[in-house]
Amino acid sequence: MKHWQIDDVAWDRFDPALIDPAIVPLVKAAAMVERNGIDYAAYLGGVFADDPDFRAAADAWAIEEVQHGDALGRWAMLADPSWDYEAAFARYRAGYKVDVAATSSIRGSRTGELIARCMVETGTSSYYTALADATQEPVLQQICRQVAADEFRHFKLFYDHMRRYLAREQISLMRRLRIAAGRIGETEDDELAYAFHCSNEPDALEYEHKRCMSAYMSGAMGFYRFRHIQRGMGMIFKAVGLPPRGRLSDISARLMWRLVQYRQRRFAARNQQVPHAA
Ligand SMILES: [Fe+2]
Ligand SMILES: [Fe+2]
């Protein structure tokens, strides 16, 4: 059961005067990745083939992710009536493939897979909270709040299953940390950059990772405030099995906050240098 429906959104409150134009391309890109959740559920189905409870939970999870894509996509079409969500997604899907035929996790264990999922949900819950806090446009704000609430629940879902597998697989703290850090680092892989390309750039312009990543990240990272990073760090700590609150988590949050600000400036500088489509 979904916790909310697209028709629950107060679409009639949409106010174009309150749109920050810089937010629109980011919402379009995010819609691509969210909608692709359905393929990730197919991958999880293969990895957890003999665990019907988890598979059912993953299928329900994917339906919520697809709704995130559909809600963000619908908002982006209000913000930019010339944009076609379905066409952009078809383009993304044709070029970005999740290995739906996998029978074991690319993380080396089921615990590792679930820790990686926790990292993704940490990232999305923080991001949509930051976006909701940053936007003045009431419909986008409502969508981002609902989506963020789902992402926090998704974290809890994957965390609970992870604990179950950890009791069985007993992978070390070091390995858990490596998997978590590895998945966080993958944020800068093609998934988001290519989503930015398909949802914002013309067909004629060839995909280039660096250009798309800097365009996406310079905008996205700018929405974060320290409180979002702090909460996210607590979730990362919890997922790997460290105390979510305390000195170590605090110091890590401060370091991460500096890193986010530094990376945002770097991406913004790079974004100024590269030629863009629009
Ligand atoms: Fe989502
Ligand atoms: Fe999620």
Side-chain angles (χ1 to χ4, degrees):
M1 269 305 282
K2 287 187 276 192
H3 289 84
W4 55 282
Q5 309 291 332
I6 281 209
D7 291 334
D8 298 339
V9 175
W11 296 101
D12 57 326
R13 291 185 61 210
F14 178 73
D15 185 347
L18 295 176
I19 299 173
D20 167 5
I23 233 172
V24 181
L26 306 176
V27 172
K28 291 175 180 173
M32 306 289 98
V33 178
E34 294 286 343
R35 169 108 178 238
N36 219 24
I38 205 85
D39 270 7
Y40 213 89
Y43 160 81
L44 290 173
V47 172
F48 293 86
D50 60 355
D51 184 343
D53 283 356
F54 178 76
R55 290 185 59 163
D59 289 343
W61 159 82
I63 290 169
E64 296 192 345
E65 298 297 5
V66 169
Q67 176 163 282
H68 297 171
D70 291 348
L72 293 165
R74 182 161 159 187
W75 182 86
M77 284 196 288
L78 286 178
D80 173 5
S82 73
W83 188 65
D84 185 338
Y85 167 59
E86 295 293 340
F89 182 70
R91 216 178 137 199
Y92 182 61
R93 196 142 193 242
Y96 185 83
K97 301 256 185 241
V98 175
D99 181 8
V100 294
T103 53
S104 65
S105 171
I106 50 167
R107 311 290 162 188
S109 65
R110 290 182 177 184
T111 306
E113 179 63 42
L114 293 166
I115 289 173
R117 295 322 304 163
C118 285
M119 293 306 103
V120 173
E121 303 298 346
T122 298
T124 53
S125 57
S126 311
Y127 182 56
Y128 292 112
T129 303
L131 219 53
D133 290 350
T135 188
Q136 302 293 311
E137 202 293 307
V139 176
L140 182 61
Q141 194 173 69
Q142 188 193 357
I143 294 167
C144 288
R145 294 246 181 268
Q146 299 275 37
V147 170
D150 282 348
E151 311 295 21
F152 283 114
R153 276 189 293 268
H154 294 164
F155 175 91
K156 170 92 171 69
L157 166 78
F158 291 123
Y159 176 80
D160 289 344
H161 284 278
M162 186 277 290
R163 297 289 302 171
R164 191 160 62 80
Y165 277 102
L166 181 62
R168 229 186 278 177
E169 296 178 331
Q170 297 283 344
I171 68 168
S172 69
L173 175 62
M174 266 324 280
R175 272 185 63 192
R176 282 177 273 154
L177 278 168
R178 260 209 304 275
I179 291 162
R183 184 57 190 86
I184 294 166
E186 284 169 29
T187 310
E188 294 182 17
D189 285 359
D190 281 328
E191 188 179 37
L192 278 166
Y194 191 64
F196 184 88
H197 171 69
C198 294
S199 55
N200 288 288
E201 296 184 334
D203 280 326
L205 184 65
E206 208 182 318
Y207 170 61
E208 196 214 317
H209 178 82
K210 209 169 154 181
R211 177 188 68 233
C212 297
M213 192 81 273
S214 53
Y216 183 82
M217 284 297 180
S218 59
M221 283 178 153
F223 295 119
Y224 286 108
R225 296 294 171 264
F226 178 65
R227 63 180 182 276
H228 308 122
I229 303 296
Q230 194 178 31
R231 187 169 183 182
M233 191 53 75
M235 292 165 77
I236 294 170
F237 267 52
K238 186 175 165 150
V240 297
L242 291 169
R245 268 176 288 275
R247 242 174 88 80
L248 190 59
S249 167
D250 237 48
I251 293 166
S252 306
R254 277 171 213 289
L255 287 173
M256 181 66 99
W257 173 232
R258 281 204 200 158
L259 180 68
V260 166
Q261 290 176 297
Y262 169 76
R263 297 291 289 158
Q264 195 275 333
R265 284 195 300 271
R266 285 273 312 260
F267 281 124
R270 206 193 275 169
N271 199 31
Q272 299 283 307
Q273 289 161 12
V274 289
H276 282 278

